[in-house]
Amino acid sequence: MTTPFSETLRNATWADHQSAESEGYLSALMGGRLSEHDYGEMVAQHYFAYTALDAVSRQLADHPVAGRFVFPELYREQALERDLTTIYGPSWRDRITPSKSTRTLVARIHQVSDWPGGYVAHHYTRYLGDLSGGQFIRMELQKIYGYTKGGGVDFYFFDELGSLPRFKNEYRSRLDVLGAELDEREQQRMIGEVRLAYQLNTEVLAELRHVVKAAA
């Protein structure tokens, strides 16, 4: 029996996923050792990355392949703006800048926008993580900082999706259909891009270690 592509993708990139989760900044954040503004450093980097990802999604909405993975309900830009306003106040735009690693990630997202498999690789890496482990992060952040819906952790709320498990199953089904359409070479190319996406996102978190050192 042929292994579904979503399962192949997950198994092939699991080590990369775990590496991202074990990054020191996240450990300090989840341990309640960082200030609200220190948390905002990560939110700011998310803002630049998701502004890029959502912009590419809008460009590809009508694409016969990539368009299957474009869900306006997932767009995060407005939620991140609310979060940054809560953390830094109305002048938040003057306080944030993309880090070197974030600029590299954003450049890669735009670079692969003309390759459906590359777009899906970055979309999958970010959004399936947000809908899974990201929900645990949200609950911990609410405990630590006392946030409620409306700003602070709105990034992690996906109310428009309804049932998250049902949506994730639908997403994986679309991945399976896509995988069945790809030859082995293209499947491996896409798996390689997911691994790169994890690496680039981990590097963004790694560059936030200076925040942890300053807070120590």
Side-chain angles (χ1 to χ4, degrees), residues 14 16-17 25 35 44 47 83 91 94 96 110 129 182 184 204:
W14 184 245
D16 304 275
H17 173 80
Y25 174 87
S35 71
Y47 175 77
D83 291 342
S91 61
D94 298 328
I96 68 171
H110 286 295
L182 304 178
E184 176 66 21
V204 171

Side-chain angles (χ1 to χ4, degrees), residues 41-79:
E41 295 277 352
M42 181 180 73
V43 180
Q45 302 315 309
H46 280 164
Y47 175 77
F48 293 110
Y50 281 86
T51 297
L53 189 56
D54 291 351
V56 171
S57 292
R58 291 184 179 94
Q59 293 169 12
L60 296 176
D62 295 326
H63 191 281
V65 177
R68 303 176 204 167
F69 296 87
V70 174
F71 301 90
E73 310 95 297
L74 290 177
Y75 293 165
R76 295 291 89 191
E77 186 174 349
Q78 291 184 357

Side-chain angles (χ1 to χ4, degrees), residues 4 10 12 17 23 27 36 86 90 96 112 170 189 207 213:
R10 182 178 185 274
H17 173 80
E23 177 48 50
S27 297
E36 185 180 17
T86 297
I96 68 171
V112 298
E170 171 61 24
R189 185 184 177 204
E207 199 167 348
K213 291 178 181 177

